[in-house]
């Protein structure tokens, strides 16, 4: 099974100046494409070839896991971006406030987690097995579904995600990224039980 490239529903320069067309083009066209190519190549001729990307993330180990998880993480990442600033829906605001105290307190915790994560990785907002919101810093290709959680939102803090635009200023990237998040999409994910609805 060939896993094809993600198509965005906005232009490469639509997120400027918070995320440049150059960053988006390299991130999508080089990094994500390479992860997908690697999965397609490594899965070919094995039982993994018939599996969805999510099934591979759940079952594979080693290099195939790393590439499949990175591909899946990036699809979740890119599909939650919006060229327009999206106001957080009321139900999501309430859920976040109930768990973290307030949206501002959540934003501070999310920002701190993203800035302080050592090396490469991701910070996730996810729902655990009892539908509690969790803030999860995860290194490298880390992914909440391997922990039995449902990912709602994430930030990629690998240097390739921000270095062209922000160089070493990860905090500036994180602060700008907040305004690129499609909170309607995040709420839709929170209300969905089927991962395939994500992309
Ligand atoms: Mn990335």
């Amino acid at each position: 099974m060939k896993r094809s490239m993600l198509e965005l529903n906005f232009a490469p320069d639509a997120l400027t100046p918070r995320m440049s067309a150059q960053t988006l083009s390299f991130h999508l066209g080089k990094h994500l494409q390479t992860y997908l190519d690697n999965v397609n190549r490594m899965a070919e001729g094995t039982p993994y070839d018939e599996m969805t990307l999510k099934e591979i993330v759940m079952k594979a180990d080693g290099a195939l896991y790393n590439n499949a998880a990175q591909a899946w993480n990036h699809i979740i990442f890119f599909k939650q971006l919006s060229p327009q600033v999206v106001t957080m829906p009321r139900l999501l605001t309430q859920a976040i406030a109930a768990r973290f105290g307030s949206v501002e307190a959540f934003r501070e915790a999310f920002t701190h987690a993203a800035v302080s994560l050592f090396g490469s990785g991701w910070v996730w907002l996810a729902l655990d097995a009892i539908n509690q919101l969790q803030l999860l810093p995860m290194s490298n290709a880390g992914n909440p579904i391997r922990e039995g959680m449902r990912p709602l939102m994430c930030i990629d803090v690998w240097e390739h995600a921000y270095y062209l635009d922000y160089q070493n200023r990860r905090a500036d990237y994180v602060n700008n990224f907040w305004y690129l998040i499609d909170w309607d999409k995040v709420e839709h994910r929170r209300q969905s039980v089927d991962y395939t609805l994500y992309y």
Side-chain angles (χ1 to χ4, degrees):
M1 188 199 319
K2 185 104 165 62
R3 289 152 200 91
S4 55
M5 188 55 186
L6 175 70
E7 302 284 340
L8 294 180
N9 58 2
F10 50 81
D13 64 353
L15 304 180
T16 54
R18 300 186 192 280
M19 186 181 290
S20 69
Q22 191 186 26
T23 288
L24 192 65
S25 299
F26 271 90
H27 203 176
L28 194 74
K30 302 292 183 189
H31 291 276
L32 174 54
Q33 185 69 63
T34 299
Y35 293 129
L36 285 168
D37 289 346
N38 288 343
V39 171
N40 286 333
R41 181 172 44 78
M42 286 188 272
E44 196 173 0
T46 78
Y48 291 109
D49 207 22
E50 301 308 312
M51 297 183 194
T52 65
L53 200 50
K54 183 197 168 195
E55 288 172 326
I56 298 175
V57 174
M58 293 297 285
K59 292 174 181 170
D61 289 302
L64 180 56
Y65 166 77
N66 284 333
N67 281 278
Q70 278 295 84
W72 205 75
N73 293 355
H74 279 90
I75 290 168
I76 294 191
F77 174 83
F78 286 117
K79 292 289 278 182
Q80 70 185 5
L81 301 180
S82 169
Q84 292 85 35
V85 174
V86 176
T87 304
M88 192 180 287
R90 187 176 51 84
L91 287 175
L92 182 59
T93 301
Q94 289 171 347
I96 285 177
R99 178 72 174 93
F100 298 98
S102 66
V103 171
E104 197 49 40
F106 166 68
R107 182 180 173 175
E108 283 176 21
F110 173 78
T111 301
H112 176 74
V115 171
S116 60
L117 190 147
F118 185 76
S120 296
W122 302 77
V123 175
W124 297 87
L125 177 67
L127 275 180
D128 67 16
I130 57 168
N131 271 352
Q132 176 122 293
L133 290 170
Q134 299 290 352
L135 182 62
L136 304 169
M138 305 184 94
S139 293
N140 301 318
N143 185 295
I145 63 173
R146 289 280 285 230
E147 315 291 325
M149 299 191 202
R150 291 166 48 205
L152 305 184
M153 184 269 276
C154 62
I155 184 168
D156 182 347
V157 294
W158 286 59
E159 284 187 348
H160 68 234
Y162 61 89
Y163 218 82
L164 289 172
D165 294 339
Y166 299 97
Q167 295 78 50
N168 60 322
R169 293 173 282 113
R170 189 191 284 187
D172 288 351
Y173 159 64
V174 176
N175 287 329
N176 277 288
F177 182 79
W178 182 264
Y179 298 100
L180 296 176
I181 300 167
D182 182 346
W183 295 107
D184 287 331
K185 173 73 80 175
V186 177
E187 176 62 2
H188 176 72
R189 290 170 175 174
R190 194 174 73 91
Q191 300 284 347
S192 306
V193 278
D194 186 351
Y195 289 103
T196 58
L197 289 175
Y198 293 172
Y199 47 86

